[in-house]
Amino acid sequence: TESGFVTIGGILPLTQSESWDFALPVKRVAEYAISQVNKNGGINGKKLRIVWRDGGCDPKIAAEVAQDLIFNEKVKVIFGGACSAETAAIAPLAQQNKVILMSSVSSHSSISFMGDYVFRTIPSFVMEGKLLARYALQKGYKKIAILSEETQFPLHVATDFEKSFVEEGGEELILQTYDYHYKMDYDVMIAEMLTGNADAYFINPPHADGMIELFEALEKSPLKKPLLFNDLLLESPKAIREHAAFLEGAIGIKLYTDMTHPDFKKLKLDYYKRYRKPLPYPEFTGRTYDAMMLLAEALRASSTDTAVMRDYLYGIKNRKAVSGILSFDENGDAGPGYRLYEIRKGRMLVID
């Protein structure tokens, strides 16, 4: 803390890359939230500011720049990272040096157990597989066929789904995996999946771009039984509209954002005014706004004593935030944060 300022650190992938696509709007919204904090008195009369470092979505680089922020810039709070690998590399340094670490994007399950100075406004992605499995069982589906892409995120979701499904009473799972980077004979894979005579089918793709050929094959197939999808489908309204007939009645899951919250409405409007683009990734940018506002509250409790900040954050329960009703659990996670949706006439309707 310098005279007139309270300085925190920020670590995101700040160079052009696949990660930059969502890291740039996260950075913009973090800075916007800080401007709102400062318009409303700052941190006990002092201006809040953030010093950025490029984590490169790389654990080695993230650890190096975290050390710079902690030991050279003397920050007491770090916002970031974006990629879970960044956050997992920063967390041990933050914990050891009693620096508050807050991420709004990193959802890997391991981060839940990295210490009591580590927080995030996004839930662990373990919840995604768990909630889908519970829904399937509540509907009476005892036998599920899973068609999952092989990259890290879909396989984690499939593993969490399988674990919860079996532990809570499911009888049989049929798992098939594929790599969308290579030419696949989806017709053969789907035909093999259908021979299992499952009660429902969990389609677990990497992202909307990896679904095009798969959807074409699914639409031609005789598959008619209930469909479940991971959150990556619901991030593509265009794909839902284009395949509305096939997806009618399908169940998907995604991170919830309260689009009716006054702060979100203002954020969305101000973002468009400044950048002439719609606010992207509301599930991340909304949680970024929440993260910065909660950090500002903790800093007002004490801008120098991080134990006080930590305890303040753990005391936040049932807060009506942009990301819904937010509470930090014993691991510093905000959750569950996910909602189930049913696709009807090309639209997503909340069902839980």
Side-chain angles (χ1 to χ4, degrees):
T1 303
E2 296 178 17
S3 178
F5 289 97
V6 174
T7 304
I8 65 174
I11 300 175
L12 293 172
L14 299 179
T15 47
Q16 196 70 34
S17 66
E18 285 186 17
S19 305
W20 177 241
D21 184 47
F22 65 84
L24 175 60
V26 165
K27 179 176 182 286
R28 286 172 171 172
V29 170
E31 291 170 345
Y32 170 82
I34 288 173
S35 73
Q36 297 304 298
V37 169
N38 289 334
K39 283 180 182 178
N40 289 282
I43 308 300
N44 301 326
K46 294 185 176 183
K47 294 288 187 183
L48 178 62
R49 66 180 177 185
I50 189 165
V51 177
W52 291 106
R53 294 290 185 270
D54 184 0
C57 204
D58 182 296
K60 183 179 179 182
I61 295 171
E64 289 173 354
V65 297
Q67 290 184 70
D68 175 47
L69 288 170
I70 293 168
F71 298 117
N72 295 328
E73 297 290 344
K74 309 292 186 186
V75 300
K76 301 292 186 181
V77 172
I78 294 176
F79 168 73
C83 303
S84 289
E86 286 178 320
T87 305
I90 301 163
L93 291 163
Q95 183 66 24
Q96 182 180 355
N97 293 282
K98 297 183 178 180
V99 169
I100 299 292
L101 176 63
M102 176 78 79
S103 177
S104 62
V105 179
S106 301
S107 60
H108 196 281
S109 56
S110 64
I111 297 167
S112 296
F113 310 105
M114 291 190 167
D116 60 348
Y117 283 82
V118 180
F119 295 85
R120 50 186 174 172
T121 51
I122 190 168
S124 165
F125 60 41
V126 167
M127 295 303 301
E128 181 169 344
K130 279 186 176 181
L131 291 174
L132 278 170
R134 287 173 186 168
Y135 173 82
L137 290 167
Q138 287 169 5
K139 296 295 287 185
Y141 306 147
K142 294 294 185 178
K143 187 176 182 180
I144 301 286
I146 304 174
L147 184 59
S148 179
E149 213 276 330
E150 293 178 347
T151 47
Q152 185 183 51
F153 176 77
L155 275 184
H156 275 300
V157 174
T159 299
D160 295 329
F161 181 98
E162 180 177 5
K163 184 173 183 291
S164 295
F165 187 76
V166 171
E167 286 179 352
E168 298 187 27
E171 293 174 2
E172 188 174 353
L173 282 159
I174 305 158
L175 175 63
Q176 285 188 299
T177 61
Y178 67 96
D179 186 339
Y180 86 97
H181 292 97
Y182 297 96
K183 184 70 176 176
M184 304 298 300
D185 191 336
Y186 291 113
D187 293 334
V188 171
M189 292 179 64
I190 293 165
E192 290 177 356
M193 185 173 67
L194 289 171
T195 61
N197 196 31
D199 298 321
Y201 297 87
F202 177 26
I203 311 301
N204 192 34
H207 48 67
D209 290 342
M211 298 180 205
I212 298 171
E213 291 183 8
L214 173 59
F215 271 15
E216 290 173 354
L218 286 167
E219 286 175 315
K220 291 187 300 181
S221 78
L223 188 154
K224 299 297 181 187
K225 291 188 178 177
L227 293 173
L228 309 174
F229 285 89
N230 67 19
D231 67 314
L232 297 172
L233 169 64
L234 299 188
E235 289 178 12
S236 178
K238 182 173 181 285
I240 292 171
R241 288 193 303 271
E242 290 178 353
H243 301 277
F246 168 69
L247 293 171
E248 183 72 10
I251 302 300
I253 190 168
K254 67 177 296 193
L255 287 165
Y256 177 73
T257 302
D258 184 359
M259 306 287 188
T260 67
H261 194 290
D263 287 356
F264 182 80
K265 288 181 175 180
K266 186 175 187 305
L267 166 62
K268 187 178 176 182
L269 180 63
D270 289 349
Y271 191 96
Y272 185 81
K273 283 180 178 177
R274 178 160 185 182
Y275 300 108
R276 292 298 165 188
K277 292 181 179 180
L279 177 69
Y281 303 108
E283 67 275 19
F284 297 144
T285 50
R287 282 167 171 75
T288 297
Y289 182 88
D290 287 342
M292 300 310 297
M293 290 301 176
L294 295 175
L295 285 174
E297 288 183 26
L299 285 161
R300 290 186 188 111
S302 176
S303 61
T304 57
D305 189 334
T306 55
V308 172
M309 296 183 219
R310 175 200 63 193
D311 294 345
Y312 182 91
L313 291 170
Y314 276 115
I316 292 173
K317 304 294 179 188
N318 300 315
R319 176 70 62 85
K320 188 175 181 182
V322 167
S323 50
I325 304 301
L326 189 150
S327 300
F328 286 115
D329 66 15
E330 67 275 9
N331 296 318
D333 291 341
Y338 286 98
R339 293 283 181 91
L340 291 166
Y341 293 78
E342 183 174 3
I343 297 174
R344 289 289 181 192
K345 297 180 179 180
R347 298 177 61 210
M348 298 177 291
L349 304 177
V350 177
I351 62 171
D352 59 331

